[in-house]
């Protein structure tokens, strides 16, 4: 997608041969999936959805999945003024790189949220539930590196560790 506008899904899409939806080099793009799924290719680092060089965007009511835990399902890079709201992220991780003023609100993460070199982002009122392979070691459900003025508050975080067994589950953050 390179044209500004409001986009709605009327059915599930994917898995595809490559990244299912790529929004790039544009502004004012708003996607409402109406609770439909976007499923990535499940290999070779193809994503369910990607935003690159986008200003003023939103992603609402989407279910993103790739069925592989160590691959990204959503990547947002070099973008700012965005809203991720009311989505479900299954497996893998959501990756933000070089972003600013991204509001991540009221989502369910059965995945990991990771941001790097990102500032003034808000992560609020989300549920992070590590329904992930307990045999894989992970740093945490929320990872934030090399940013400033980020707000992380009022989230429910469950790494599913039993509190006894070392290296079982995921660190809460």
């Amino acid at each position: 997608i390179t044209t500004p506008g409001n986009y709605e899904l009327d059915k599930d899409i994917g898995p595809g041969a490559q990244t299912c939806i790529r929004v790039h080099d544009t502004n004012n793009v708003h996607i409402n999936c109406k609770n439909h799924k976007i499923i990535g290719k499940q290999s070779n680092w193809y994503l369910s959805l990607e935003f690159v060089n986008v200003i003023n965007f939103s992603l609402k009511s989407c279910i993103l999945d790739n069925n592989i835990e160590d691959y990204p399902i959503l990547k947002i890079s070099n973008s700012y003024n965005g809203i991720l709201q009311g989505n479900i992220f299954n497996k893998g991780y959501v990756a933000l790189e070089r972003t600013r003023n991204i509001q991540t609100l009221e989502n369910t993460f059965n995945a990991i949220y990771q941001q790097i070199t990102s500032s003034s982002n808000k992560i609020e009122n989300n549920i992070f539930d590590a329904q992930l392979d307990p045999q894989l070691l992970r740093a945490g459900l929320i990872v934030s590196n090399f940013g400033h003025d980020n707000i992380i508050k009022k989230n429910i975080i469950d790494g599913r560790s039993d509190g006894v067994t070392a290296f079982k589950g995921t660190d809460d953050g």
Side-chain angles (χ1 to χ4, degrees):
I1 297 173
T2 57
T3 304
N6 298 317
Y7 298 86
E8 293 183 347
L9 265 59
D10 60 3
K11 63 181 179 180
D12 295 350
I13 60 172
Q18 296 182 5
T19 297
C20 288
I21 298 175
R22 187 167 192 261
V23 182
H24 62 95
D25 304 303
T26 190
N27 60 62
N28 298 314
V29 171
H30 305 283
I31 299 173
N32 186 333
C33 295
K34 296 184 165 183
N35 296 313
H36 288 288
K37 290 182 181 181
I38 302 174
I39 303 170
K41 184 180 179 199
Q42 305 177 17
S43 65
N44 299 330
W45 293 91
Y46 292 118
L47 309 162
S48 297
L49 181 59
E50 182 176 30
F51 290 91
V52 180
N53 300 321
V54 182
I55 303 167
N56 299 324
F57 64 92
S58 64
L59 178 69
K60 295 185 177 183
S61 301
C62 295
I63 301 169
L64 296 159
D65 200 344
N66 70 359
N67 292 321
I68 298 178
E69 294 187 10
D70 291 334
Y71 288 85
I73 49 178
L74 169 64
K75 184 175 180 183
I76 302 172
S77 58
N78 299 319
S79 299
Y80 59 94
N81 297 342
I83 298 173
L84 307 175
Q85 187 171 25
N87 303 292
I88 298 172
F89 302 103
N90 287 324
K91 307 277 185 167
Y93 61 96
V94 172
L96 282 71
E97 299 174 0
R98 297 173 304 282
T99 63
R100 188 174 68 246
N101 194 33
I102 307 298
Q103 297 183 54
T104 303
L105 311 168
E106 301 163 355
N107 300 285
T108 298
F109 286 82
N110 302 315
I112 294 168
Y113 175 96
Q114 177 177 302
Q115 65 182 23
I116 185 168
T117 320
S118 294
S119 301
S120 302
N121 291 343
K122 182 191 291 187
I123 306 163
E124 184 174 3
N125 291 325
N126 299 284
I127 297 171
F128 291 86
D129 188 358
Q131 297 179 11
L132 303 167
D133 183 346
Q135 304 307 315
L136 297 175
L137 182 61
R138 293 175 189 82
L141 292 175
I142 301 173
V143 179
S144 182
N145 292 319
F146 308 112
H148 60 84
D149 299 317
N150 293 300
I151 298 171
I152 302 171
K153 68 179 185 177
K154 297 182 181 177
N155 297 288
I156 297 171
I157 304 171
D158 186 354
R160 294 194 177 242
S161 174
D162 61 12
V164 176
T165 309
F167 305 114
K168 180 178 181 187
T170 302
D171 190 352
D172 286 349

